[in-house]
Amino acid sequence: MTDDDLDPVIHAQSRLRVVATLAAMPHGDRVSFPKLQRLLDMTAGNLSTHVRKLEEAEYVLVTKTHEGRTPATYLELTSSGRLAFERYSRRLTDLLKGAQS
Amino acid sequence: MAPDDASDEPLDLAESLAIIQAQRARVRDQVAPDPRVLFGAWGVAWLVGYLVLWSSARAEPYGHPGGAAFTVFGVLLSAALAVTIAHIARRTAGVRGASERTGSMYGWTWTIGFSAVVLTMIGLTRAGAGWEVLALGWNALSALVVGVLYAAGAAMWEDWRMFGLGAWIALVAGATTLLGVPGSYLLMALAGGGGMLAAATLAHVSRRKGGW
């Protein structure tokens, strides 16, 4: 069984969890950093580290804004992030089917 | 290397698939509004509230429900509205973008729809409509707004179950006027409230089977 062609940016536990969660959000939606943290049960520092890597790959777009006077951070998958996740999911399914037969 | 790279160890393929499914379920359970809560709250409010109106109307000498019955009805509807607003606010907090804009327009359509019902009923009252016409009008128009907006919302979110419920409620709304008071209340309780509870039950069953 080979997983060489699975996108290495996504194929790591924490980053896969982040990307899968953002991909489950309706297209065009952004989620706040604390809400994403709750959906993942991750610490802020931990999530920031993984988001930075996903941002470098241009899979995740981070928007910093203000709500009243409080700074707020929102995250969403970019089009290439969504595409990469779809490709990853398809490849994963194919590999799992191959492993069964 | 950051210490949390420990969670970046190579993944088993089956484990990857499990992670994707788990996070999808998590978003469904914590971000998307739960139809079981919404249909359940309104189903109970309609079923009990309209049964109270119906039994009161049968007991009163003039055939229309008493003030106490309308108070119970009003409290039940207010409670269902409070549950709806609190539930949607909790689920959608921290989410911005496309669905926030869609949801806001959809929410305003409810307010506008019910404002139009109130205006119409004021107009009919001023035009001299009798109490039974007014009772039937309030019921049917309000339930018509609910049914049509459910069906329209279902079209946006491609939800066939919600579409079926909306279509059913819209038709029940029209049919209540054919029965007159108090039959209209009984039909609203059983077919309207019962329909909502049936939809909540269906949503529960399909969720336990792993669907949405």
Side-chain angles (χ1 to χ4, degrees):
Chain A
M1 178 178 3
T2 169
D3 51 11
D4 288 349
D5 32 2
L6 282 170
D7 189 335
V9 177
I10 298 179
H11 194 58
Q13 195 190 54
S14 299
R15 289 197 299 272
L16 174 59
R17 293 185 69 224
V18 174
V19 172
T21 309
L22 291 174
M25 304 286 299
H27 207 116
D29 275 4
R30 308 183 286 283
V31 60
S32 75
F33 191 91
K35 179 126 182 168
L36 184 61
Q37 224 186 300
R38 274 196 300 280
L39 288 167
L40 291 163
D41 295 321
M42 275 189 198
T43 63
N46 204 346
L47 179 55
S48 296
T49 310
H50 297 297
V51 163
R52 208 169 304 127
K53 283 185 191 153
L54 291 166
E55 222 184 341
E56 280 162 16
E58 296 186 347
Y59 284 0
V60 166
L61 178 69
V62 178
T63 316
K64 292 192 188 292
T65 174
H66 279 81
E67 280 169 354
R69 310 186 89 178
T70 328
T73 304
Y74 283 89
L75 303 103
E76 66 191 299
L77 275 192
T78 61
S79 308
S80 56
R82 203 166 275 272
L83 196 67
F85 177 71
E86 276 163 18
R87 195 173 292 139
Y88 175 89
S89 307
R90 211 162 39 230
R91 185 74 194 123
L92 183 67
T93 318
D94 288 349
L95 285 170
L96 281 166
K97 263 189 210 141
Q100 273 170 2
S101 59
Chain B
M1 271 288 166
D4 42 45
D5 274 5
S7 56
D8 276 1
E9 63 211 19
L11 272 170
D12 176 39
L13 296 180
E15 199 186 333
S16 297
L17 190 65
I19 286 175
I20 294 172
Q21 285 164 345
Q23 287 312 112
R24 193 178 294 154
R26 194 103 194 237
V27 167
R28 179 198 66 194
D29 292 342
Q30 293 185 20
V31 181
D34 189 340
R36 295 172 302 177
V37 173
L38 303 180
F39 297 160
W42 286 100
V44 170
W46 274 15
L47 181 67
V48 178
Y50 277 112
L51 278 179
V52 168
L53 289 185
W54 176 71
S55 61
S56 168
R58 277 164 50 100
E60 295 283 333
Y62 299 106
H64 60 86
F70 276 111
T71 307
V72 172
F73 181 70
V75 167
L76 283 167
L77 292 197
S78 305
L81 183 63
V83 167
T84 303
I85 291 172
H87 179 73
I88 291 178
R90 198 176 322 118
R91 291 286 170 103
T92 59
V95 181
R96 299 277 175 275
S99 64
E100 185 194 21
R101 292 188 294 274
T102 312
S104 150
M105 274 191 264
Y106 184 61
W108 275 106
T109 311
W110 283 85
T111 310
I112 293 162
F114 281 108
S115 303
V117 171
V118 171
L119 284 176
T120 307
M121 294 315 299
I122 291 173
L124 292 180
T125 308
R126 287 173 52 156
W131 73 265
E132 188 174 16
V133 172
L134 293 176
L136 293 174
W138 273 114
N139 249 339
L141 289 181
S142 304
L144 178 64
V145 168
V146 172
V148 169
L149 280 180
Y150 270 20
M156 274 195 303
W157 295 301
E158 293 182 61
D159 181 339
W160 281 103
R161 195 168 29 213
M162 187 177 174
F163 181 81
L165 178 63
W168 171 251
I169 289 174
L171 291 173
V172 168
T176 57
T177 61
L178 303 175
L179 293 182
V181 177
S184 59
Y185 296 134
L186 187 60
L187 187 60
M188 278 304 297
L190 301 182
M196 292 263 197
L197 291 176
T201 309
L202 279 177
H204 182 64
V205 170
S206 90
R207 190 165 287 219
R208 292 194 57 172
K209 283 184 188 158
W212 270 68

